[in-house]
Each structure stands twice: as C-alpha cells, then as structure tokens.
Amino acid sequence: MENKDKELRCFKPHTKEFKIDIQNLNIIIFNDVTDELQQISSLEEKASTDALTGLFNKGKFHEVLDKEIALAESTKTPLSLVFLDIDHFKVVNDTYGHDVGDYILQTLATILDSTVRQGDFLARWGGKEFVITLQATTAEQATILAEKIRKNIEAYEFKSAGKQTVSLGVTEYIYKESEEEFIKRVDTALYAAKESGRNKTVIK
C-alpha cells in the first residue's frame, strides 16, 4: 500500500471485537510494520554477506547450492563448481601487511564479479578462497570460465603488491551424489592445481 508520498508501506491487519448495546462488532486495525520488515531484511542480508568483500558468504553458498542441486536433479541439466584459491597469499600478508591483503581480496572479488556470467553464483568461501556455482554448465564449459578468471587476475597489476595468481579446481555434479561429495571433489581438484605448480586450472 502506498502512502500520500507514494512510498510503499506494509501493514499487518488484526481484528478487535467490541460490543454496542447487544450487538457484537469487529473492527480491522492495520499496524504499519514497514520499518520492522526492513530491519529484518537488512539483518538477513548482513547474515548472508561477507563483510570484507561484499560477496555472499559460505553459509549463503550452502543454501544456494542445495537449491541448485535440486534444480539440476529435477531438470537433468549439468551443474558445475569452480573453487579458487589465491597463490602464496600468506607471503603477501607477511611481506606487505594485512591491509594490503584485504585490498587484494576486495579487488579480486571485484574482478570475479565482473567476470562471472549472469546467473552464476559467486561467494567467498573463507580466507583466501572463493567458490562459484554454474547452473546448466558442464565441467568443460566451466573450465573455460575458470581460465578466463585466472588470466584476468594474472594480468591485473595490484598496487603495492604487484602481480598475483590463483589456482582453480573445477568439477561437475554427478547425479544423486551428496553435496559433501560434490564439494570434496572440487576441493581435490583445487589441491591438485596447487600441488602441480599453481596458477592453473584442474578439472576432476
């Protein structure tokens, strides 16, 4: 409902009974709950957002992945994951300090956000790791995006810290497997990328 200033307001109705002479009457009272709903929405958004990068957080990722898997199961369409880790990030923090480390995380989040496709879901997994879900996308197609991400980051000149690289793991959902198995496999792919020299994408 709009008020006189054309602002959208939300109201919660409830009834109140009263008696006039021998007749029982009910009136409907509308309480304005717009501010309360906005506060709830703000709290829910904060609870699902990583404070440093502004991306969704790990908790929100699990919530979305559960729905993505259900959709892939029902539509029989592919679903892929990309797991990304910044190479030698501890050295960056130790050499330049955590302020520069935070700047790199924030800048990398911006690069990722501008590189992923509309419909892809991007989240900060935690620390120096990020994860992307790709609906209706095979592992081979996801690898093309992963390589684009890797090259965009490698080409970027981070002020105060120079060039940075990332390692990426890619995998595709296997019908009827658990979410834990799905995530474990992409984590294994990422580990293989780091163990085999870093700054590369490995598919499992």
Side-chain angles (χ1 to χ4, degrees):
M1 183 180 296
E2 292 182 350
N3 62 14
K4 64 180 181 179
D5 297 319
K6 298 298 182 180
E7 293 178 334
L8 187 63
R9 308 295 295 179
C10 299
F11 296 88
K12 181 178 180 180
H14 68 276
T15 60
K16 184 175 182 180
E17 185 178 334
F18 66 99
K19 190 173 185 178
I20 299 178
D21 295 329
I22 60 172
Q23 188 176 11
N24 291 326
L25 299 174
N26 288 286
I27 62 171
I28 300 175
I29 300 171
F30 292 88
N31 292 329
D32 189 340
V33 294
T34 307
D35 293 340
E36 288 83 351
L37 290 176
Q38 288 175 343
Q39 288 175 2
I40 292 171
S41 177
S42 177
L43 288 172
E44 288 177 344
E45 183 177 349
K46 287 181 180 178
S48 63
T49 303
D50 174 61
L52 179 64
T53 63
L55 300 179
F56 288 112
N57 59 22
K58 186 176 180 179
K60 185 66 175 180
F61 163 75
H62 282 294
E63 179 186 328
V64 169
L65 182 60
D66 185 60
K67 295 175 182 177
E68 295 272 29
I69 289 174
L71 179 61
E73 291 273 6
S74 63
T75 59
K76 303 297 187 295
T77 53
L79 170 67
S80 292
L81 282 179
V82 175
F83 209 4
L84 175 153
D85 183 272
I86 305 173
D87 296 328
H88 305 294
F89 192 63
K90 185 179 184 301
V91 175
V92 171
N93 278 328
D94 291 346
T95 304
Y96 302 103
H98 288 280
D99 286 347
V100 172
D102 287 349
Y103 153 74
I104 289 173
L105 288 167
Q106 291 167 332
T107 305
L108 191 141
T110 301
I111 295 170
L112 288 172
D113 192 45
S114 65
T115 307
V116 298
R117 310 164 308 177
Q118 185 176 5
D120 295 338
F121 182 81
L122 167 65
R124 185 183 179 192
W125 180 262
K128 56 194 178 73
E129 296 175 327
F130 298 81
V131 62
I132 309 164
T133 67
L134 303 95
Q135 187 62 246
T137 305
T138 65
E140 288 74 18
Q141 291 167 332
T143 300
I144 295 172
L145 177 64
E147 275 295 285
K148 183 178 180 181
I149 289 170
R150 187 187 64 78
K151 290 174 182 177
N152 284 352
I153 294 170
E154 185 180 28
Y156 191 88
E157 186 72 32
F158 292 84
K159 63 181 182 182
S160 303
K163 297 290 187 178
Q164 302 295 318
T165 62
V166 296
S167 300
L168 304 99
V170 177
T171 200
E172 185 176 335
Y173 177 71
I174 299 173
Y175 187 65
K176 290 297 183 183
E177 75 175 333
S178 69
E179 181 179 319
E180 291 74 19
E181 290 170 323
F182 190 22
I183 294 173
K184 183 177 180 180
R185 192 167 57 256
V186 76
D187 188 47
T188 300
L190 173 61
Y191 182 79
K194 296 187 77 68
E195 285 296 296
S196 59
R198 294 183 171 85
N199 191 25
K200 63 176 61 178
T201 299
V202 170
I203 183 173
K204 288 286 185 182

